[in-house]
Amino acid sequence: MDPQLDPMKDDLPLMANTSYMLVKHYVLDLDVDFKSKVIEGSIVLFFETGSQYRKTRSTGTECCQSAFDQSPEMRAPEPCHIPVTSVSACSSKMEYNGFAVTGEGEEDTSDENGNHSNSDQASGISGSKDCCDRENHGNKDFVLVLDCCDLSVLKVEEVDVAAVSGIEKFTRSAKPTDVSEEMGSLRNQIVHELVTLPANRWKEQLHYFTHCSQAPGCGELLFTAGPWSLEIRKSGIQTPAAFPHAIRIRYKTTPDGRSVAWTTDQSGKPCVYTMGSPINNRALFPCQEPPIALSTWQASVRAAAGFVVLMSGENSAEPVQLREGILSWYYYVSMPMPASTFTIAVGCWQEVKQQSFTAAVQTNTEFSLPSLQADFRWHEETCGHVDYPCRFQSAAASSQAVIPHRVFSPRCLVERCEERLLRLIPRCLSAAHATLGTHPFSRLDVLIVPSNFSSLGMASPHIIFLSQSVLPGGSHLCGTRLCHEIAHAWFGLAIGARDWTEEWISEGFATFLEDIFWARAQQQLSHNEVQGQQELKALLRWCRLRDEVQNSEEELQVLRPNKESTGELSESGASVVKYGLKAEKIFMQVHYLKGYFLLRSLARTIGEASYLVSLRKFVRKFHGQLVLSQDFLCMLLEDIPKQKKSGLTVESIFQNWLDASGIPKPLLEEVETWKECQLVRQVRGEVTKWIQTNQRVRKSSKKKRKQDEVIFQKLLPDQLVLLLESLLEEKTLCPRTLQCLERTYQLREQDAEVRHRWCELVIKHKYVPGYGDVERFLREDQAMGVYLYGELMVNEDAKQQELARKCFASAREHMDASSAKVVAEMLF
């Protein structure tokens, strides 16, 4: 059994032996119980024999040593692959083939399959009767290894897919016999034929997946588990080819499982959602986490009436009443994606209905790309991904600037979402389409998640989670974050990283594109206005990167920590995600920022128009696939041959940007130009006014003479952030100055980025009237508040430390586990 890994120090193991067995489809059948805080039911996995076994088998070499007898080092010897909250690979399903969002087989929701309850009382992850007999079986039997953690597995069994009515069409051999070995071979043949059906038969495929998942079991399988994996074998089966290719696992989650958050929403109603945590979905269902394990899925989820189930699925599910008080929701996807991108949220969400307004979605023609008609010349090309119904091959999908979308939130935030989100989403979607072309996914749900959500947003197929922190203030923070998450549809989901450590492929691209999308979504901006906003943003990000580099471990600043080993797999497919469990890494933005600055530098060198055309070409070529950094860089440099003369090469980019810690040298040359842009100069003038005002206030503190009125200019949100950051460098600001500052800009009503800096000023200068603002921020903006706890403690002020402990005590129960751990270390 593997020893427990220290989540503060160790790498994350991906244990699944995907080289031998590869999951092609999951069917989940689940009940959500808010009283026990448990999700219980079954999952059926449909496999294909993996590439490593097929290769070695052809040479006559046996490579299926039992994982039961391998040491942890043997199981996961290599560094890893791919990011998870945003590493998927594919595109969306087809309204464009004439189908509605529901398909054949959708009515077969597996609701009749009531065998998900289990009388076995399994306290751990396996029962003793199912444990592997190491002594007798040693390395004789093949062992299937799945990624699994914090789950109670009750039963594992082979599924008799041959018993399904009409399944004969998937058999090429004679009628089934009573010989168990031949029956096993027949079942595996059926699964093979089913998972390899061509894309144009996706509805039929989904129909038979549903019925096969409801087929009876035909023999229990032995299983055992370690801290990170579930290991399954069938006595006497020694090769992956002979191992059952359809298995059912009955299991239940644990209330404190690290993949799901049980909490209450802002209206006080219970809810649960997947967190996108470092361990991804392995505490939600047994799965294969390495990115190479691209699969489709379908799920029937039951919950009490009054709850809404949202999920990463192609269809906008409508609930079906099973019995009084219980509703069932059914979702599916037909684009293969990593299991880590599967997302679910169950709560008393309220749909924010579209109003009668017509959203303006025109884009600024000054910045629009060459006509999207240019995309259609690529339709004749064959996509490079595995066969699935692809939107990039549909002219109708290619011209769809705004995909169907819905917004959900807790009841108390509906009005604010109606004011803010509904008008922004069409503009942001249209801006994204104008930049990159075809939307990879056919629809989008946007959910405002509870206040304990640990970031400002998270993108998954067909659904985006947004923090409530993006709603207050004007539209700036909400719009830019929405653009960031929409960008992940292309970079992070439609195109995923083959190595999880190359997060910049997802986050750097999304951060860069966020600015491009938002400039277009605002509409009517001149070229100079766009350039000014982007240079101001670059300066703010530079300051953030500089601070992060100064205050973090060097090893965590490298964008390709595996360097020449990036993307390599172990023989079994198991791997290790370097620094995947370091708690502090969750709060770092180095992959966002250095990735953004690299892409910005390339755009400046090549020219933005040519660069964006190359991005769209990259999307056309690599959608539905997993990539490494060199895939993008090689294509870009080949597209721009003249850059070879300037010495810009893949190797030089690796050396300067991706393989080194610290600030990239090319970036140091750009900083001074940003400081001279008009918006930044305007802020400098306002900072000078405030410093002078503060000096006059200090001199006249005991004199009540009237001060000369100072006229302060109106500032953009990013300018306010820069202003407050500049004032944070002042040693002393008087209470009257801080009071005037807050009133002048109405700081309590600004967005979370601005309010965070205001809270920093309050803490630094011990401005007691602002302590309520700090308390409110720590309660309502948990995605951004962790840093403030440290500030409250470092001043060694009794009132501030008491405030920190009070806020933490009230929030700790529902706080994200990683955040709670980091804050606890600050306070105690």
Side-chain angles (χ1 to χ4, degrees), residues 499-554:
D499 189 319
W500 192 357
T501 61
E502 290 199 301
E503 294 173 63
W504 84 272
I505 293 177
S506 173
E507 299 300 351
F509 274 91
T511 305
F512 174 79
L513 288 166
E514 161 190 327
D515 293 355
I516 305 296
F517 293 178
W518 182 235
R520 287 177 166 156
Q522 290 176 84
Q523 304 164 7
Q524 308 306 321
L525 294 181
S526 69
H527 176 81
N528 288 337
E529 287 175 317
V530 170
Q531 185 177 21
Q533 285 187 14
Q534 293 183 353
E535 289 184 349
L536 170 60
K537 197 76 170 182
L539 181 60
L540 289 172
R541 288 171 176 150
W542 153 259
C543 295
R544 199 169 304 163
L545 178 61
R546 178 197 60 199
D547 293 344
E548 189 158 295
V549 165
Q550 292 173 352
N551 297 287
S552 63
E553 300 176 44
E554 285 192 8

Side-chain angles (χ1 to χ4, degrees), residues 297-309:
W297 60 72
Q298 63 191 98
S300 294
V301 181
R302 291 168 293 280
F307 288 95
V308 173
V309 177

Side-chain angles (χ1 to χ4, degrees), residues 64-77:
C64 302
Q65 181 178 2
S66 171
F68 283 87
D69 296 314
Q70 293 179 321
S71 67
E73 291 75 15
M74 292 175 67
R75 276 206 187 119

Side-chain angles (χ1 to χ4, degrees), residues 164-220:
V164 173
S165 176
I167 204 70
E168 298 82 10
K169 67 169 69 178
F170 298 112
T171 64
R172 287 174 294 179
S173 58
K175 269 191 165 184
T177 69
D178 292 330
V179 181
S180 60
E181 185 174 337
E182 293 183 10
M183 279 300 298
S185 177
L186 177 64
R187 295 185 192 106
N188 286 355
Q189 179 188 315
I190 290 171
V191 173
H192 171 76
E193 295 294 327
L194 181 56
V195 300
T196 55
L197 281 178
N200 61 4
R201 295 174 66 184
W202 71 272
K203 291 181 69 176
E204 178 186 8
Q205 184 183 50
L206 197 63
H207 174 81
Y208 279 101
F209 274 139
T210 300
H211 286 285
C212 285
S213 72
Q214 298 169 350
C218 56
E220 292 192 27

